[in-house]
Amino acid sequence: MADIVVLGAGLGGLPMAYEMKDLARAEDRIIVVSDKDYYHFIPSNPWVAVDWRKREEITVAIEKPLKRRKIDFKVGKVTEVHPRDNLIAFENGETLSYDHLVIATGPKLAFDEIDGLGPNGFTQSICHIDHAEVARDKWLEFVKKPGPVVVGAVQGASCFGPAYEAAFIMDKDLRNRKIRDQVPMTFVTSEPFAGHLGLDGVGDSKSIMESEMRSRHIDWICNAKVDKVEDGIMHVIECDESGQEKKRHELPFDYSMMLPAFTGIDAVRNVEGLVNPRGFIVVDDHQCNPTFNNIWGIGVAVAIAPPKPTPVPTGVPKTGFMIESMVTATAHNIRACLDGKEPTKKATWNAICLADMGDTGIAFVAMPQIPPRNVSWMKGGKWAHLAKVGFEKYFLHKIKSGVSEPLYEKFVMKTLKIGKLKSE
């Protein structure tokens, strides 16, 4: 019998628990640990921030589906991971031992790296449902007395898609209210060019994103470092191609949403051999930590080097299907270890992404996500907006039903020749 602990109950953690339950031996125990008793669909947060969605529409109480799958569930904040003792420690003093530990926590939001950034400062966030609800309340106040908007992602950020979505969705909401003409908008990003996305672009993403922002009268500043944020003023340093200061901007705003940089969670930050200097889990080709071979990493918690250096630091996003491929590889590799075999499965890290733009949208496929790629394209249209809405409903249904990948999904992906494992 083995205790397999999944730390985190988000986009990676719950599918990991479901797939591991399918692959584990009958006597093995799967335990999900989370600091909250619900799942929330993070990709819907830009809609929450403009009051297009309510919390109850994008959250799922997870105890029931986990119980139905005979997966144990513990709610509590983990403060320390002790790899040499094979246990995790909770804030309340309790501990939990494991035979295998899968770290799927997502990141810590590094608002503190920039003065004035974040919900406790002067900008809003859509990284968590709680933040998105605060952003919504601020937005509903803002539209009564509109003014300039600054939106984007700071240096070190790695998840740029939601920043673009937020800008386009805000633009659409303002047009719906017929006050768009009263709101100058500026997109501020650490990317070297619009549409870089932390991936050195995908297909024709540069010209597509520039065209979309131009058509919506959204100005943009790339290679940008946010120096500090004051009440109503964002201080931005625009850099040249070598990363040297090119121009300083003082951008006035009455509303701002800026995505922060990510780091690893505090519970693992000081574990030598487990994490990189930013606190992300170091993994090999099989999602396993090279130092502690019974610890695995998936999702945003994993360390991934950027495809190439950028003038201003940018991270690499961990997108949905890419994370699901990590999940599948990890589940198979843990089963191999349980059977006394070496792990052999490698995730493809293929990416399929849908980004909403209010009344239209963009989709891209990158196979693999990190270049050079076998497939790389981006297309847009009303269909992508509808697909994003449909995917929201579909994924929440999967979480509620306790199934990671239904048979019809496997069939569609196989038909499209988009696999999760490199052996496929």
Side-chain angles (χ1 to χ4, degrees):
M1 174 182 173
D3 286 342
I4 303 164
V5 173
V6 179
L7 184 53
L11 181 61
L14 286 178
M16 181 69 225
Y18 296 154
E19 286 206 34
M20 196 68 249
K21 184 65 179 179
D22 292 336
L23 288 174
R25 303 167 303 185
E27 68 269 22
D28 296 325
R29 186 167 64 137
I30 316 300
I31 308 159
V32 172
V33 175
S34 176
D35 60 356
K36 54 186 179 293
D37 62 358
Y38 62 90
Y39 168 86
H40 68 104
F41 189 65
I42 293 176
S44 293
N45 284 346
W47 292 331
V48 173
V50 294
D51 205 27
W52 292 4
R53 289 290 188 281
K54 303 295 185 185
R55 173 184 282 261
E56 56 270 21
E57 296 177 282
I58 67 164
T59 56
V60 177
I62 55 178
E63 184 174 10
K64 186 175 180 179
L66 289 173
K67 185 176 182 180
R68 186 167 58 245
R69 290 299 316 273
K70 296 182 170 56
I71 297 171
D72 292 350
F73 181 42
K74 180 173 178 58
V75 179
K77 182 179 180 180
V78 173
T79 54
E80 292 179 287
V81 174
H82 298 283
R84 289 174 178 82
D85 299 319
N86 293 330
L87 60 82
I88 59 177
F90 293 86
E91 189 175 42
N92 64 3
E94 294 180 6
T95 60
L96 177 66
S97 62
Y98 60 83
D99 294 291
H100 288 271
L101 174 65
V102 182
I103 298 178
T105 57
K108 178 181 178 180
L109 307 175
F111 295 116
D112 59 337
E113 294 184 345
I114 299 174
D115 288 344
L117 187 71
N120 291 328
F122 304 105
T123 65
Q124 304 307 312
S125 165
I126 52 172
C127 295
H128 191 279
I129 180 64
D130 293 345
H131 295 163
E133 288 189 312
V134 173
R136 175 204 61 207
D137 294 343
K138 296 290 186 181
W139 180 256
L140 294 177
E141 293 176 10
F142 165 77
V143 295
K144 296 175 183 177
K145 189 179 178 182
V149 164
V150 177
V151 58
V154 308
Q155 58 271 27
S158 58
C159 195
F160 296 95
Y164 286 102
E165 285 188 295
F168 296 139
I169 289 169
M170 282 190 270
D171 167 79
K172 173 58 176 172
D173 191 66
L174 292 168
R175 285 187 280 124
N176 289 348
R177 298 173 186 274
K178 303 189 186 306
I179 57 172
R180 179 65 182 86
D181 59 313
Q182 301 176 46
V183 182
M185 292 184 67
T186 305
F187 190 84
V188 174
T189 178
S190 55
E191 300 162 276
F193 57 84
H196 179 278
L197 302 172
L199 299 170
D200 200 27
V202 178
D204 200 20
S205 58
K206 181 178 187 294
S207 61
I208 290 174
M209 286 302 187
E210 287 182 353
S211 176
E212 292 291 347
M213 288 198 289
R214 192 176 294 113
S215 69
R216 288 169 171 78
H217 307 284
I218 300 173
D219 296 327
W220 66 91
I221 302 171
C222 295
N223 280 332
K225 290 181 181 178
V226 177
D227 184 37
K228 64 180 179 179
V229 186
E230 298 175 326
D231 189 5
I233 296 286
M234 186 174 297
H235 299 264
V236 175
I237 301 172
E238 183 180 357
C239 297
D240 61 21
E241 294 181 357
S242 64
Q244 299 301 306
E245 182 177 325
K246 175 181 175 182
K247 184 178 180 181
R248 287 184 175 258
H249 301 263
E250 291 187 357
L251 302 176
F253 66 86
D254 289 322
Y255 185 90
S256 177
M257 195 298 297
M258 296 294 292
L259 298 182
F262 293 165
T263 67
I265 62 169
D266 291 339
V268 299
R269 285 298 296 269
N270 298 319
V271 182
E272 186 176 351
L274 180 61
V275 297
N276 72 0
R278 292 287 288 176
F280 294 110
I281 307 301
V282 176
V283 296
D284 61 17
D285 290 341
H286 308 294
Q287 306 301 136
C288 185
N289 179 256
T291 304
F292 306 102
N293 60 13
N294 64 339
I295 297 184
W296 312 76
I298 59 174
V300 182
V302 169
I304 300 179
K308 64 175 64 171
T310 53
V312 176
T314 60
V316 178
K318 290 88 171 184
T319 56
F321 192 82
M322 178 191 191
I323 294 172
E324 291 187 58
S325 76
M326 294 182 189
V327 165
T328 298
T330 302
H332 280 84
N333 287 331
I334 291 177
R335 177 57 198 254
C337 292
L338 295 174
D339 292 337
K341 301 176 182 178
E342 291 295 316
T344 59
K345 299 299 184 182
K346 298 180 181 180
T348 57
W349 289 13
N350 289 334
I352 310 169
C353 288
L354 294 165
D356 185 52
M357 303 171 77
D359 50 3
T360 182
I362 287 176
F364 76 74
V365 174
M367 300 171 55
Q369 180 168 292
I370 308 297
R373 304 182 179 106
N374 298 312
V375 177
S376 179
W377 64 260
M378 175 178 279
K379 299 180 186 295
K382 180 74 171 180
W383 63 271
H385 164 74
L386 297 174
K388 177 68 179 276
V389 174
F391 181 72
E392 173 196 50
K393 311 304 180 191
Y394 172 69
F395 198 88
L396 287 168
H397 171 73
K398 289 203 301 181
I399 295 297
K400 293 174 184 177
S401 62
V403 178
S404 175
E405 188 180 33
L407 288 174
Y408 48 83
E409 182 180 327
K410 291 182 180 180
F411 174 77
V412 170
M413 291 296 108
K414 188 173 183 179
T415 302
L416 295 173
K417 298 181 179 180
I418 303 174
K420 292 182 179 180
L421 300 176
K422 287 190 176 181
S423 59
E424 292 181 348

